[in-house]
Amino acid sequence: MSTIRQNDFIQSIADALQFISFYHPVDYIKALTRAYEREQSPAAKDAITQILVNSRMCAEGHRPICQDTGIVNVFLKVGMNVRWDAALSVDDMVNEGVRRAYLDPDNKLRASVLADPAGARRNTKDNTPAVISYALVPGDTVDVNVAAKGGGSEAKSKFAMLNPSDSLVDWVLKTVPTMGAGWCPPGMLGIGIGGTAEKAMLMAKEALMEPIDMAELIARGPKNRLEELRLELHEKVNALGIGAQGLGGLTTVLDVKILEYPAHAANLPVAMIPNCAATRHVHFVLDGSGPANLEPPSLEDWPRLTYDASKGRRVNLDTVTREEAASWKPGEVLLLNGKLLTGRDAAHKRMTDMLSKGEKLPVDFRNRFIYYVGPVDPVRDEVVGPAGPTTATRMDKFTRQMLAETGLLGMVGKAERGPAAIEAIRDHRAVYLMAVGGAAYLVSKAIRAARVVAFEDLGMEAIYEFEVRDMPVTVAVDSTGNAVHITGPREWQARIGKIPVTVLKA
């Protein structure tokens, strides 16, 4: 019998969350490096470069990989012989660990969790509570998987109750393209098959805690039916050509993980949950000897890459005109300089409500650009913490009104825009620029000054004014409505069919 002390457990949770905020799992880095080496799409290769450079910068600087430091997921397997030396419940100990991690003054993490989700949506300020799953198992240890799940990838979770005769592969291949790029590929797909609806979803999430081993599986070949299915889905999903950040390319998924459970004879429950480029999870076991000892990866595990921020067309945001923006081509790399406003969900809701009431906005958006971002708080000498883009499609329903009534010239965000937003962009001769999701710390280095200019009460969702220098973005929707997230995957899906299989599996 082992005794798990309260503070050892709390500190282990806190340490794990800090650890995964700035260290990618080594298996992910190695898999992404292999994808970088074989990628043939220039746009996708550029995006993967930014993700890898950002990852190494975060490992060196101990700052978050992504501005969205996630909602905490904890999977506990508690040995039935374990004794707890604790005054708090296990839930309360987990949440105290979350609280310590997210409020750590040396690396404060963004609090993204909101209470009263269908009502007032009040930020809990410390990212509690966590989502905790338990299993009681034989033994005298506590086995812990800790993950921080970003909202962009979580939003793309899918579930279907298929008929027993339906093809699971067909469902996956039909469903993945509907997920767009808001989940920040390349990442992983976790799939749960069987059980009941909630069991399938839980298995899909838990599958994402497993290490990436697709290269090894391809090299040795499958040993069972599930491994055959993993290989088939890996090959066929990548053949869709979606690519890094949805720009079109050879690698959309680095691995496909599957867990299954017996199901009712009338049912085939299937759940699919993606993990993004900010894959964050760690495993440890407590045996009563003290808090977890998490071994940092070696910097030698990262490829020796640099990102050349001098390439691309420089744009002065303080003087840019609609005519100049009309000359930008889809897929072109721009370097933004000057003053850039920010705003995401809550700010857009408040602004459009004000516009609908005929009220004046606190910020003049005429001929300005807005960046969809909720940054991490700065520490030490930073002007702002990691500040990567949030999923742009969530702002689609506000886009036409913002363009029509404020004189806004353009937007910067993550992933694709939907048909209604593209139509509004075309109608108002505006543009949409894409920044790379999963490169938040790298992006923040281009921000030289930051100040809140409106809606301070919204916290990380307030409107900021950033002063940026050579912030890299890609023209994703031009002023005529041409969208690279439509043309890129279409082009690369056609190309992949002509590339030798040996190249694709290298």
Side-chain angles (χ1 to χ4, degrees):
M1 177 180 290
S2 61
T3 299
I4 307 299
R5 291 180 292 273
Q6 176 172 297
N7 197 60
D8 289 346
F9 184 73
I10 292 172
Q11 196 58 50
S12 297
I13 296 291
D15 290 348
L17 289 167
Q18 278 286 313
F19 185 91
I20 64 177
S21 77
F22 45 73
Y23 288 136
H24 264 128
V26 172
D27 54 271
Y28 177 84
I29 292 301
K30 291 184 176 179
L32 190 61
T33 301
R34 286 192 291 269
Y36 165 82
E37 290 169 348
R38 67 172 176 268
E39 185 55 70
Q40 297 180 15
S41 162
K45 200 173 188 79
D46 179 83
I48 295 173
T49 301
Q50 289 193 49
I51 294 168
L52 285 168
V53 170
N54 179 78
S55 178
R56 185 184 174 99
M57 288 172 61
C58 293
E60 293 173 323
H62 284 196
R63 291 296 274 142
I65 295 164
C66 180
Q67 79 289 337
D68 180 359
T69 47
I71 184 169
V72 176
N73 289 237
V74 180
F75 291 88
L76 297 173
K77 294 180 181 177
V78 181
M80 290 185 286
N81 294 332
V82 164
R83 176 182 176 274
W84 292 92
D85 179 9
L88 298 176
S89 70
V90 176
D91 273 29
D92 286 344
M93 286 189 283
V94 169
N95 287 324
E96 179 56 29
V98 173
R99 191 172 292 112
R100 287 186 189 180
Y102 277 74
L103 299 179
D104 187 322
D106 290 329
N107 182 39
K108 190 173 181 182
L109 307 179
R110 195 184 84 182
S112 300
V113 172
L114 308 180
D116 193 13
R121 295 180 66 81
R122 294 184 301 273
N123 197 301
T124 64
K125 306 295 186 183
D126 57 11
N127 224 53
T128 63
V131 178
I132 309 169
S133 300
Y134 292 93
L136 286 173
V137 298
D140 54 6
T141 62
V142 177
D143 183 285
V144 187
N145 268 302
V146 175
K149 191 65 162 59
S153 60
E154 190 70 4
K156 304 301 181 179
S157 302
K158 302 295 180 182
F159 172 80
M161 189 65 77
L162 301 182
N163 291 320
S165 60
D166 290 342
S167 167
L168 180 146
V169 172
D170 287 350
W171 177 79
V172 171
L173 296 179
K174 178 181 71 176
T175 303
V176 169
T178 71
M179 291 159 47
W183 61 281
C184 279
M188 298 167 64
L189 292 179
I191 296 177
I193 307 171
T196 54
E198 77 281 5
K199 178 66 174 178
M201 292 298 288
L202 187 63
M203 289 190 295
K205 179 65 68 66
E206 194 167 9
L208 293 173
M209 305 299 108
E210 297 182 1
I212 295 172
D213 64 351
M214 184 53 67
E216 293 83 350
L217 177 55
I218 290 171
R220 67 168 169 79
K223 294 181 178 178
N224 53 51
R225 181 185 54 78
L226 279 188
E227 289 188 347
E228 290 174 356
L229 183 58
R230 286 179 58 202
L231 284 169
E232 181 180 4
L233 288 173
H234 177 261
E235 179 179 340
K236 289 182 175 178
V237 169
N238 282 329
L240 294 172
I242 294 167
Q245 302 292 299
L247 295 170
L250 301 184
T251 302
T252 302
V253 290
L254 299 170
D255 205 339
V256 178
K257 297 295 186 180
I258 304 173
L259 292 176
E260 66 175 3
Y261 196 83
H264 189 282
N267 303 144
L268 178 55
V270 181
M272 179 166 62
I273 302 179
N275 226 0
C276 63
T279 292
R280 293 169 296 208
H281 60 89
V282 69
H283 171 255
F284 60 87
V285 177
L286 298 179
D287 60 6
S289 62
N293 180 28
L294 303 174
E295 189 70 31
S298 166
L299 290 179
E300 298 304 313
D301 292 320
W302 277 265
R304 294 285 180 177
L305 293 176
T306 58
Y307 186 74
D308 182 2
S310 67
K311 63 182 180 181
R313 188 198 304 205
R314 281 193 169 84
V315 172
N316 186 338
L317 294 172
D318 301 331
T319 61
V320 65
T321 64
R322 205 165 291 273
E323 290 70 30
E324 181 183 350
S327 71
W328 301 341
K329 304 301 181 186
E332 183 178 6
V333 175
L334 306 179
L335 301 172
L336 302 184
N337 291 269
K339 293 181 173 61
L340 176 64
L341 295 168
T342 78
R344 41 177 286 160
D345 309 64
H348 275 77
K349 176 66 167 62
R350 187 174 292 183
M351 286 190 292
T352 53
D353 284 348
M354 291 175 69
L355 290 170
S356 296
K357 295 174 184 176
E359 298 174 3
K360 184 179 179 181
L361 297 184
V363 180
D364 185 357
F365 285 93
R366 282 176 298 177
N367 295 320
R368 302 289 298 274
F369 278 73
I370 190 168
Y371 181 27
Y372 302 148
V373 64
V376 176
D377 288 345
V379 299
R380 297 180 286 279
D381 59 348
E382 294 177 344
V383 299
V384 70
T390 197
T391 307
T393 48
R394 296 202 314 275
M395 266 53 72
D396 280 5
K397 64 182 179 180
F398 306 115
T399 297
R400 182 169 291 277
Q401 186 174 12
M402 287 292 293
L403 293 176
E405 299 183 32
T406 71
L408 185 69
L409 175 53
M411 299 144 284
V412 183
K414 179 182 78 176
E416 76 282 352
R417 304 307 298 265
I422 292 174
E423 186 178 275
I425 290 167
R426 182 196 64 209
D427 291 349
H428 293 278
R429 297 178 60 235
V431 291
Y432 167 62
L433 313 175
M434 189 211 78
V436 171
Y441 196 37
L442 176 65
V443 170
S444 73
K445 295 305 180 183
I447 302 170
R448 302 310 173 95
R451 65 187 183 100
V452 175
V453 293
F455 306 155
E456 186 171 7
D457 62 296
L458 295 180
M460 63 94 175
E461 295 210 62
I463 297 178
Y464 289 75
E465 184 178 73
F466 289 165
E467 182 81 31
V468 298
R469 184 182 303 169
D470 286 349
M471 175 179 165
V473 295
T474 299
V475 180
V477 182
D478 71 5
S479 62
T480 67
N482 288 320
V484 295
H485 287 98
I486 296 173
T487 59
R490 183 186 300 153
E491 174 190 347
W492 280 92
Q493 185 174 16
R495 287 195 185 192
I496 287 171
K498 301 173 185 177
I499 295 175
V501 173
T502 52
V503 174
L504 298 176
K505 291 185 176 181

